[in-house]
Amino acid sequence: MDLFNSALGKNITFLRPAFFIISGFIGIPNIKYYYAFLFFVYIISVLANTAVMATIYLDHNLRTPKYIAVFNLALVDLLGNSAMVPKVLDIFLFNHPHISYNDCLTFLFFCYVFLSMQALNLVALSYDRVMAIVYPLHYQLKVTQKFMLCLIASFWVFVIIVVLIATGLLTRLSLCESVVIKSFFCDHGQIYRLACNDYTPSDITAWILPALILWLPLLFVLLSYLSIGYALAKVATVRERMKGFKTCTAHLSLVAIYFLPILITFILRANIEPHARIINLSLTSVFPPMLNPIIYVLQTREIKESLKKFLKNSGTLEWAIARLPVFGKNQDVVEINEDKTVEEISQYIIHQILENRWGICETERHH
């Protein structure tokens, strides 16, 4: 942060508090039940997103541009909830509301980076759907693995730079109005309004940031589906239209889960009670990362089939390893472990059966 201070000003001294007090959930009745709910959401999010990433990584058939974006979405969801939920539980559930100045800005930076990347991931998936449905003949040429990796990498760089600038501008403020942040995390808007000097640059950033990482992505997604709808309207049969639309249902569900709560909160901001608004914003931040992988598993045929195949193969591997020592008639049994694939184990078993070295049927009858 010293880079911003040396670059944007001369020898100026800024008043910075030693710590902030985050008070968003303090005073809400029966809030401990909500903390338990957040913990449950976090555990499900970690397990579900890890399962999706592992499935895509292990199944070579899923290493396509679309699933590169899905993998990145699962990674962002996992990192986003891991950055936010444990810290929120530590602050409120374990009664550690005090957070140092530097830790607060770090907390802010990572929360905003991962929340912003969720929206831009939806843009990447929208582009994939547009090219697949509207321009199917160009899809293989234009939407390649290299292109998708470059697109996602550019989103990461863009988000990190934008959030870093917004965070750096906060270091140019003298925060002397208060040390209490009335939110559930180190909220950018709450922090810069504590300044007692001119906070115009941060105020402008607070308008530009949502436009760049929230409203522009939403606009792109809406235009994408308008073009998809127009393309599907020209398809001859209703069955083909539904088949094309079905490939978008998972992505549309993600878009609705991410953007609808935010839109409702922004539209009804003045009419929502402060505690209800804070809880709604916290749910908007932590709930989509839990639902996203579940939706993709339930609504995407390729991932469902890959998971079934993976679980089936895992079961076969455990069955074979558990029984190999029983089947052996002598001590010269080849060592088999998890390093060998199911196909290798199967070939070895068949080879031994043909040579009549294992009496599998007789052994099974005795057990």
Side-chain angles (χ1 to χ4, degrees), residues 206-280:
W207 286 95
I208 295 176
L209 198 63
L212 292 176
I213 61 178
L214 189 64
W215 307 127
L216 279 181
L218 177 59
L219 179 62
F220 181 87
V221 171
L222 293 177
L223 291 176
S224 299
Y225 277 99
L226 284 175
S227 62
I228 288 173
Y230 180 74
L232 291 177
K234 295 190 294 184
V235 176
T237 65
V238 175
R239 184 177 180 180
E240 290 177 348
R241 293 175 193 169
M242 294 304 298
K243 184 178 179 181
F245 181 76
K246 191 175 180 180
T247 63
C248 302
T249 53
H251 180 253
L252 276 173
S253 301
L254 303 188
V255 171
I257 289 170
Y258 183 81
F259 284 107
L260 282 180
I262 295 175
L263 289 171
I264 292 172
T265 303
F266 271 86
I267 293 171
L268 302 177
R269 180 188 300 180
N271 300 320
I272 299 179
E273 193 268 334
H275 285 162
R277 181 178 60 83
I278 291 173
I279 290 179
N280 185 50

Side-chain angles (χ1 to χ4, degrees), residues 13-20 101 170 172-180 190-199:
T13 301
F14 297 100
L15 182 62
R16 295 168 183 168
F19 60 86
F20 292 103
Y101 178 86
L170 293 177
R172 306 294 300 168
L173 302 176
S174 290
L175 305 174
C176 52
E177 292 291 338
S178 174
V179 295
V180 178
Q190 291 285 329
I191 292 176
Y192 82 77
R193 290 186 179 91
L194 300 177
C196 51
N197 61 339
D198 184 20
Y199 56 72

Side-chain angles (χ1 to χ4, degrees), residues 5 24 56 130 138 159 269 272 290 299 306 325 340 348 358:
N5 296 333
I56 294 172
V130 168
H138 300 127
V159 165
R269 180 188 300 180
I272 299 179
M290 181 194 74
Q299 296 191 8
S306 182
K340 293 186 178 295
Y348 181 73
W358 288 351

Side-chain angles (χ1 to χ4, degrees), residues 65-284:
K66 174 185 174 181
Y67 286 104
I68 290 174
V70 174
F71 183 94
N72 189 64
L73 178 64
L75 176 64
V76 169
D77 288 342
L78 176 62
L79 294 177
N81 266 5
S82 296
M84 181 172 288
V85 177
K87 188 62 178 177
V88 169
L89 292 178
D90 177 62
I91 290 171
F92 296 104
L93 181 60
F94 298 105
N95 197 25
H96 297 143
H98 295 77
I99 182 171
S100 69
Y101 178 86
N102 288 331
D103 288 347
C104 190
L105 294 188
T106 303
F107 187 27
L108 178 151
F109 173 79
F110 284 108
C111 287
Y112 273 93
V113 165
F114 296 133
L115 288 172
S116 303
M117 276 303 300
Q118 289 181 26
L120 293 179
N121 265 301
L122 297 177
V123 170
L125 289 169
S126 293
Y127 180 80
D128 176 85
R129 291 299 83 206
V130 168
M131 295 303 298
I133 296 175
V134 181
Y135 307 103
L137 298 179
H138 300 127
Y139 181 79
Q140 297 293 336
L141 295 175
K142 292 188 176 181
V143 186
T144 62
Q145 289 186 0
K146 182 179 179 180
F147 172 83
M148 187 60 71
L149 287 171
C150 291
L151 180 64
I152 290 173
S154 66
F155 285 159
W156 274 104
V157 172
F158 170 74
V159 165
I160 289 172
I161 291 175
V162 169
V163 177
L164 190 61
I165 291 172
T167 308
L169 288 173
L170 293 177
T171 67
R172 306 294 300 168
L173 302 176
S174 290
L175 305 174
C176 52
E177 292 291 338
S178 174
V179 295
V180 178
I181 299 175
K182 298 177 181 179
S183 183
F184 62 97
F185 75 115
C186 292
D187 193 342
H188 177 266
Q190 291 285 329
I191 292 176
Y192 82 77
R193 290 186 179 91
L194 300 177
C196 51
N197 61 339
D198 184 20
Y199 56 72
T200 302
S202 291
D203 193 38
I204 294 173
T205 303
W207 286 95
I208 295 176
L209 198 63
L212 292 176
I213 61 178
L214 189 64
W215 307 127
L216 279 181
L218 177 59
L219 179 62
F220 181 87
V221 171
L222 293 177
L223 291 176
S224 299
Y225 277 99
L226 284 175
S227 62
I228 288 173
Y230 180 74
L232 291 177
K234 295 190 294 184
V235 176
T237 65
V238 175
R239 184 177 180 180
E240 290 177 348
R241 293 175 193 169
M242 294 304 298
K243 184 178 179 181
F245 181 76
K246 191 175 180 180
T247 63
C248 302
T249 53
H251 180 253
L252 276 173
S253 301
L254 303 188
V255 171
I257 289 170
Y258 183 81
F259 284 107
L260 282 180
I262 295 175
L263 289 171
I264 292 172
T265 303
F266 271 86
I267 293 171
L268 302 177
R269 180 188 300 180
N271 300 320
I272 299 179
E273 193 268 334
H275 285 162
R277 181 178 60 83
I278 291 173
I279 290 179
N280 185 50
L281 285 174
S282 65
L283 286 174
T284 302

